[in-house]
Amino acid sequence: MATLPLSIFLIVKNEADRIGATLDAVAGLADDVVVVDSGSTDGTQAIAEAKGARVIHHDFEGYGPQKRFAEDQCRHAWLLNLDADEVVPPEMVTHIRALFAAGAPEKDAYTTRIAEVFPGEEDVHPLAYALTPVRLYRRDKGRYSASIVHDRVALAPGARVGALKGTIRHRSVRSLGDQIAKLNAYSDRQADDLEARGATVATWRVFFEFPAAFVKAYFGRRHAVRGVYGFLTAMNYAISRHLRIAKHIERRRLAAWGKDRRDA
């Protein structure tokens, strides 16, 4: 089938074990696939190139800035953003093709349903919690925010938004250990973001952030229906939210201590 006037872009690092399935799922959909790599050492670049992608190196500056850089490398007016651990289902590919069948899609942007598939699961759990971010959009109607921690498309006022059919399979968890390392690094960036924005989080929150985050993940995001792995993943999520606050408070404490020593 003919490719569409569409650019697909990904930001990646060390995704050799996952990026192949992601690119295979959208093979032939677009004539412009951009992979922005921030220094992979596992052969990710070669796999992406073998799948037909243009691979561009760019040092990682944060999620928003990295995706904004990737947007600027794309050739077309319409963009589809994917993560290297996300697999688009055939139903969604068919829907995207249908949107372009008469020329250009009717709306300015489209949300995509994304649900996690945990290790040991073959497919999306029927009761799995799903996010619905904008991933398909016109570049003159939307752009990723510049936030180093929040990678969301900021749409222009009045932009018309539709929804794509199907659910993207998000295989974000390689293992619990890998997830902890990823969440720990992310909490560092969240603490950086709070500091950069001059935000101050009340100290009392350190006592309540963990249990509140666990309840949010286990019940609000329905990890409770996912068995033992759902419980363990909810615990990891709660730990990461606690670390975000704890690191922020620690930095304030050390900064104040350093100031007191200098003033003494």
Side-chain angles (χ1 to χ4, degrees):
M1 299 179 71
T3 57
L4 304 177
L6 170 70
S7 292
I8 300 173
F9 71 92
L10 303 82
I11 63 168
V12 305
K13 183 177 181 181
N14 290 333
E15 293 287 354
D17 59 329
R18 302 189 286 198
I19 195 171
T22 296
L23 295 178
D24 285 344
V26 293
L29 181 63
D31 65 2
D32 184 36
V33 179
V34 177
V35 171
V36 174
D37 184 271
S38 55
S40 293
T41 57
D42 63 350
T44 294
Q45 305 94 322
I47 295 172
E49 288 174 345
K51 301 290 184 182
R54 286 191 290 127
V55 178
I56 302 167
H57 175 82
H58 186 69
D59 290 340
F60 191 75
E61 299 174 339
Y63 292 97
Q66 195 78 348
K67 290 198 174 185
R68 287 166 73 93
F69 175 84
E71 287 175 327
D72 292 340
Q73 313 312 307
C74 295
R75 296 171 179 161
H76 292 295
W78 277 91
L79 308 179
L80 174 64
N81 173 237
L82 298 172
D83 288 344
D85 54 7
E86 295 174 346
V87 178
V88 177
E91 179 185 10
M92 189 173 291
V93 171
T94 299
H95 189 198
I96 293 173
R97 285 192 175 280
L99 292 174
F100 283 87
E106 177 184 355
K107 306 292 186 181
D108 300 314
Y110 292 83
T111 59
T112 56
R113 191 172 187 273
I114 303 174
E116 280 193 299
V117 179
F118 293 150
E121 295 179 340
E122 292 296 328
D123 206 342
V124 175
H125 191 283
L127 297 178
Y129 176 82
L131 299 172
T132 55
V134 167
R135 289 295 189 84
L136 176 65
Y137 57 101
R138 277 177 49 179
R139 66 192 311 161
D140 62 341
K141 294 294 184 179
R143 183 166 173 77
Y144 269 92
S145 71
S147 170
I148 63 173
V149 294
H150 300 300
D151 55 344
R152 298 189 183 98
V153 176
L155 296 175
R160 299 164 299 167
V161 181
L164 293 178
K165 297 177 181 177
T167 301
I168 290 177
R169 292 152 178 79
H170 187 200
R171 296 190 177 275
S172 66
V173 182
R174 289 185 175 101
S175 67
L176 291 172
D178 180 73
Q179 185 185 42
I180 289 172
K182 180 178 177 181
L183 291 173
N184 182 48
Y186 187 62
S187 67
D188 284 335
R189 293 191 178 276
Q190 289 177 313
D192 291 341
D193 179 60
L194 288 170
E195 188 173 352
R197 292 189 288 111
T200 300
V201 177
T203 303
W204 60 262
R205 284 186 56 179
V206 75
F207 300 101
F208 300 98
E209 195 74 10
F210 180 90
F214 176 80
V215 169
K216 176 182 177 179
Y218 194 62
F219 298 105
R221 294 191 173 183
R222 299 195 291 275
H223 284 11
V225 304
R226 313 285 286 277
V228 173
Y229 214 97
F231 175 84
L232 296 174
T233 301
M235 287 288 286
N236 279 359
Y237 173 78
I239 290 170
S240 74
R241 299 296 291 179
H242 163 78
L243 285 175
R244 175 181 70 107
I245 302 298
K247 290 175 180 180
H248 168 69
I249 291 172
E250 179 186 53
R251 292 183 186 189
R252 283 168 41 201
R253 178 185 176 88
L254 292 177
W257 178 73
K259 183 178 182 301
D260 289 343
R261 285 175 60 88
R262 289 192 300 270
D263 292 343

